[in-house]
């Protein structure tokens, strides 16, 4: 009995079909990965704001959340500066500009509580905030006026012409932090407009 395997023609056709399927799937896979990065970065920012608020209540003192830019987005170092266009953040009592690599401390300035570099799972996105910092008081409320505090952070994809599922973090003066999809009208149901709410 003669054994029969694949002919070169059959193998070539199979490879061509697989290549075609892969070529059609690649754009959607790339967009899915970008959307995952957008969600990771947004959740990191939301969690940072909530952590700053909780720490202010726990310590019974003003605690601030700062957005900072870094020379290397994956490493928190002293090159940092306050920014409205970065996903890296620092929770501290005073401004961490130029001191982001300092160890956590309750006595040494800037009295850092926690830090997060944007490169830790949330890189490859565009972050735009209306301000670079916000301060919470011991009641978890925003201390400074809205004109000088973060009230909104938008996280979007970086490639032009791609339809992303962009996300936004909103912060109210009462200290409520909410993540939502800015493309969903505010009159929509709460579950479609907001993916997470904390007060």
């Amino acid at each position: 009995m003669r054994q029969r395997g694949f002919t070169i023609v059959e193998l070539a056709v199979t490879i061509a079909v697989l290549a075609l399927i892969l070529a059609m799937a690649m754009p959607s896979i790339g967009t899915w990965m970008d959307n995952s990065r957008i969600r990771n970065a947004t959740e990191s920012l939301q969690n940072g704001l909530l952590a700053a608020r909780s720490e202010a209540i726990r310590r019974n003192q003003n605690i601030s959340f700062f957005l900072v830019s870094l020379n290397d987005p994956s490493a928190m170092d002293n090159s940092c500066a306050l920014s409205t266009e970065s996903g890296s953040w620092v929770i501290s009592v005073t401004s961490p500009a130029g001191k982001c690599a300092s160890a956590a401390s309750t006595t040494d300035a800037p009295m850092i509580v926690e830090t997060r570099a944007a490169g830790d799972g949330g890189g490859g996105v565009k972050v735009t905030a209306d301000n670079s910092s916000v301060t919470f008081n011991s009641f978890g409320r925003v201390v400074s006026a809205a004109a000088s505090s973060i009230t909104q952070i938008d996280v979007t994809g970086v490639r032009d012409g791609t339809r992303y599922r962009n996300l936004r973090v909103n912060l109210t003066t009462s200290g409520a932090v909410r993540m939502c999809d800015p493309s969903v009208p505010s009159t929509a149901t709460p579950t479609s407009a907001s993916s997470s709410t904390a007060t």
Side-chain angles (χ1 to χ4, degrees), residues 67-109:
L67 291 174
V68 295
S69 61
L70 304 167
N71 287 342
D72 177 357
S74 63
M76 194 62 72
D77 59 28
N78 290 333
S79 71
C80 66
L82 300 187
S83 174
T84 58
E85 298 181 346
S86 174
S88 300
W89 51 262
V90 175
I91 299 169
S92 60
V93 177
T94 60
S95 172
K99 300 176 183 177
C100 293
S102 301
S105 172
T106 57
T107 55
D108 297 332

Side-chain angles (χ1 to χ4, degrees), residues 26-96:
M26 281 303 285
S28 59
I29 291 171
T31 302
W32 176 81
M33 289 177 67
D34 289 342
N35 284 334
S36 294
R37 290 188 193 99
I38 290 169
R39 175 161 286 280
N40 288 343
T42 309
E43 287 178 348
S44 168
L45 292 163
Q46 180 187 37
N47 292 338
L49 286 163
L50 290 171
R53 182 175 183 266
S54 295
E55 195 67 17
I57 295 169
R58 188 182 75 79
R59 290 191 185 189
N60 196 30
Q61 74 175 113
N62 288 358
I63 298 288
S64 299
F65 172 93
F66 298 91
L67 291 174
V68 295
S69 61
L70 304 167
N71 287 342
D72 177 357
S74 63
M76 194 62 72
D77 59 28
N78 290 333
S79 71
C80 66
L82 300 187
S83 174
T84 58
E85 298 181 346
S86 174
S88 300
W89 51 262
V90 175
I91 299 169
S92 60
V93 177
T94 60
S95 172

Side-chain angles (χ1 to χ4, degrees), residues 47-188:
N47 292 338
L49 286 163
L50 290 171
R53 182 175 183 266
S54 295
E55 195 67 17
I57 295 169
R58 188 182 75 79
R59 290 191 185 189
N60 196 30
Q61 74 175 113
N62 288 358
I63 298 288
S64 299
F65 172 93
F66 298 91
L67 291 174
V68 295
S69 61
L70 304 167
N71 287 342
D72 177 357
S74 63
M76 194 62 72
D77 59 28
N78 290 333
S79 71
C80 66
L82 300 187
S83 174
T84 58
E85 298 181 346
S86 174
S88 300
W89 51 262
V90 175
I91 299 169
S92 60
V93 177
T94 60
S95 172
K99 300 176 183 177
C100 293
S102 301
S105 172
T106 57
T107 55
D108 297 332
M111 291 181 267
I112 287 178
V113 176
E114 187 178 344
T115 64
R116 171 90 184 220
D120 295 344
V125 300
K126 181 179 178 184
V127 175
T128 308
D130 53 0
N131 280 291
S132 61
S133 67
V134 61
T135 301
F136 297 95
N137 65 18
S138 58
F139 296 105
R141 296 181 62 87
V142 173
V143 172
S144 44
S148 60
S149 292
I150 294 171
T151 60
Q152 180 175 294
I153 307 172
D154 287 312
V155 184
T156 61
V158 294
R159 289 182 291 157
D160 293 330
T162 302
R163 293 189 64 172
Y164 294 111
R165 183 154 193 266
N166 299 321
L167 294 172
R168 173 177 290 162
V169 177
N170 287 320
L171 175 63
T172 66
T173 54
S174 66
V177 182
R178 185 181 70 171
M179 182 192 339
C180 63
D181 182 342
S183 67
V184 175
S186 58
T187 56

